[in-house]
Amino acid sequence: PRLLDHIRASGMFHWSRGNAAQLLAAAREACLRGIARNHPDLAGLRPEAQARRFAELTTLSAADIELALRYMPGDPQQFTTAIRTLQAIDNRLNRKVRS
């Protein structure tokens, strides 16, 4: 739970400082760059199909994946969820390949 507490606090800090959009964009770019390298077939899917396929492969919520990949969160909790979801996608789809 300590890591999640840190992620929440970090999300709230960045949100309050107005850094959320830049941080989320960087996290999206890093995650999707890994997907393009490791799973080019997934990278070529349309956004809706990509979110559904990521959900199938990772067991994450399709709604959380959509938020993480396509939308700007409306509050600090959504921002934290988006960052956490991108990290989970990266761990489950990119890091497995590298291991």
Side-chain angles (χ1 to χ4, degrees):
R2 289 180 53 187
L3 178 58
L4 289 178
D5 291 340
H6 175 72
I7 290 171
R8 282 187 194 99
S10 179
M12 293 180 83
F13 173 81
H14 286 289
W15 184 270
S16 69
R17 299 293 189 275
N19 299 330
Q22 299 94 312
L23 189 60
L24 184 57
R28 282 176 178 159
E29 182 182 329
C31 180
L32 292 174
R33 188 173 43 247
I35 296 293
R37 182 177 53 251
N38 297 315
H39 305 281
D41 55 317
L42 296 176
L45 295 174
R46 290 186 318 191
E48 299 83 15
Q50 193 177 56
R52 282 193 307 273
R53 188 69 180 125
F54 284 12
E56 291 168 4
L57 293 170
T58 64
T59 69
L60 297 168
S61 152
D64 286 349
I65 292 171
E66 284 269 337
L67 172 68
L69 294 177
R70 300 182 60 204
Y71 300 107
M72 183 59 200
D75 60 48
Q77 183 178 0
Q78 285 183 339
F79 172 74
T80 300
T81 297
I83 294 293
R84 187 177 35 224
T85 300
L86 290 169
Q87 182 65 56
I89 292 168
D90 187 61
N91 286 341
R92 295 176 190 176
L93 296 180
N94 292 330
R95 298 202 191 276
K96 272 188 189 175
V97 173
R98 287 179 261 181
S99 299

